[in-house]
Amino acid sequence: MSPLRATLAPPAAARTATSARAGSDHNHASPPAGQGRRARLRNWAELLRVSALFTVPGDTLAGAAATGLRPGRGTAYAVGASLCLYEAGMALNDWADRDEDAVERPHRPVPSGRISAAAALGAAGLLTAAGLTLAARAGRPALAVASALAATVWAYDLQLKHTPVAPAAMAAARALDLVLGATATMSAPCGQKKAEAGLPPVTESAELASPAVPQGPGARHYVTPGAALRIGTPAAALAAHTYAVTAVSKHEAYGGSTRTPLAPFGATTTLGLLLARTRPTARPLAALAATAYVRTSALAYLHAALNPSAPLTQRAVGGGIRAMIPLQAAFAARSGARLTPLAVLGLAPMARALARKVSPT
């Protein structure tokens, strides 16, 4: 799901010039087969913004950790569904923005003619179908959440992107992504699950152990008020972070906003401090992830506030996107998980390295 862009109607001259450039490119001699394949892969990597893809698995893993259960088969299906729906949003975004990009970003794959608009739309449809299919394998509750997530993605790209509710729609999508991981993890049979080290299984907790909750193999987990709070807290924090990034991204094309980055700077710093102050058993990992979170996003926001140029604003948006990884890891650590935060944090170097080649915005 990509950041917002300014709404501009492309003049006819710009469209004509873009078409002429695209047409002239087709007149050149075809490159060797190997180079052609590499070029096509790079075009699709740019369209799908694969460097931002590393920010996605942590949503579902943080949601799974919030349940107190070890990630299982349902969690794996949720991760796959989340990745597919995220990339569907990327492809759909560039299809919906093809006219604007012809003016603002004519180098993008669709307006430059490197990928056709029909191919981008088709990819969005296929990826959405794949995401819902994977979610269905995790159970009906997971499919319901994934359907809501897919509807939010399509509504944002096709209708809400240039409205006042756009940041809220993006925030809702990220929150639903985390809830998808929790729902898919809890939807699998209880007998197939074990708790993360240091946390008992949800069905063995005092809160859930009651005659109304099925026990034993084949039984399924139910969300109690306490479990809903454990899941809702990281979902709300991730939504707030996404809202801030989306608000800043409205200025990434031209810059010029000094006040807009200040709010996420303060919110990021405060959230990082709160995450670092957690229970002693989770403190080292949570503090490490919280520090990485503040360093990745807060400093970029501060630079954009001091010098609201387009490049620094774009850098702040990219930092905010990458900062989702340590934020997810911090919440997984705060839930008591041990391996999940390390696995999520391990995605950060890959995201940073790939962002040098393929922009996440």
Side-chain angles (χ1 to χ4, degrees), residues 21 93 114 164 213 224 269 337 342:
R21 285 194 299 271
N93 175 82
R114 289 179 286 138
V213 179
T224 65
T269 304
L342 295 175

Side-chain angles (χ1 to χ4, degrees), residues 256-288:
S257 175
T258 299
R259 291 180 296 178
T260 303
L262 288 178
F265 167 74
T268 298
T269 304
T270 302
L271 181 57
L273 292 174
L274 291 175
L275 287 172
R277 297 181 61 182
T278 184
R279 56 187 180 182
T281 56
R283 186 167 295 163
L285 271 177
L288 174 65

Side-chain angles (χ1 to χ4, degrees), residues 34 61 67 86 89 101 114 126 137 144 154 162 167 178 194 198 226 238 244 259 268 278 286 323 333 341 347 360:
L61 292 176
T67 67
Y86 186 90
D101 285 344
R114 289 179 286 138
L126 288 175
R137 298 295 301 272
W154 281 73
H162 303 303
L178 188 144
K194 292 182 179 180
L238 186 61
R259 291 180 296 178
T268 298
T278 184
L347 299 174

Side-chain angles (χ1 to χ4, degrees), residues 54-338:
F54 293 99
T55 70
V56 178
D59 289 345
T60 50
L61 292 176
T67 67
L69 298 169
R70 186 186 299 276
R73 182 179 300 176
T75 314
Y77 283 131
V79 170
S82 176
L83 291 170
C84 288
L85 294 177
Y86 186 90
E87 292 292 46
M90 292 294 189
L92 184 63
N93 175 82
D94 275 27
W95 178 83
D97 284 357
R98 62 193 184 280
D99 289 337
E100 298 171 27
D101 285 344
V103 175
E104 292 185 7
R105 299 182 180 184
H107 61 278
R108 291 291 302 164
V110 173
S112 66
R114 289 179 286 138
I115 293 178
S116 69
L121 182 60
L126 288 175
L127 286 165
T128 300
L132 294 177
T133 300
L134 288 170
R137 298 295 301 272
R140 290 183 181 178
L143 177 59
V145 176
S147 299
L149 174 57
T152 304
V153 170
W154 281 73
Y156 171 83
D157 282 332
L158 298 182
Q159 188 66 33
L160 303 178
K161 187 183 305 182
H162 303 303
T163 69
V165 301
M170 285 287 287
R174 277 287 182 172
L176 285 169
D177 207 20
L178 188 144
V179 174
L180 174 60
T183 305
T185 303
M186 297 181 72
S187 295
C190 300
Q192 298 178 3
K193 302 235 179 124
K194 292 182 179 180
E196 282 267 14
L199 278 179
V202 171
T203 50
E204 294 179 7
S205 66
E207 180 181 43
L208 289 179
S210 68
V213 179
Q215 303 289 328
R220 296 184 182 275
H221 300 288
Y222 290 83
V223 179
T224 65
L229 180 61
R230 291 195 302 270
I231 297 167
T233 299
L238 186 61
H241 175 85
T242 304
Y243 189 102
V245 175
T246 308
V248 174
S249 72
K250 293 170 64 176
H251 305 277
E252 68 171 337
Y254 303 105
S257 175
T258 299
R259 291 180 296 178
T260 303
L262 288 178
F265 167 74
T268 298
T269 304
T270 302
L271 181 57
L273 292 174
L274 291 175
L275 287 172
R277 297 181 61 182
T278 184
R279 56 187 180 182
T281 56
R283 186 167 295 163
L285 271 177
L288 174 65
T291 300
Y293 169 64
V294 173
R295 182 176 181 180
T296 303
S297 57
L299 293 178
Y301 288 139
L302 181 59
H303 291 161
L306 295 175
N307 180 8
S309 63
L312 286 181
T313 302
Q314 292 167 11
R315 186 177 301 177
V317 173
I321 293 173
R322 293 193 306 274
M324 291 178 182
I325 296 176
L327 178 61
Q328 297 153 351
F331 272 111
R334 187 174 177 269
S335 298
R338 296 180 181 177

Side-chain angles (χ1 to χ4, degrees), residues 19-46:
S19 301
R21 285 194 299 271
S24 64
D25 290 341
H26 292 303
N27 293 331
H28 293 167
S30 299
Q35 294 182 15
R37 284 193 295 270
R38 286 195 295 269
R40 286 193 293 272
L41 287 175
R42 183 173 181 81
N43 293 339
W44 280 99
E46 185 180 345

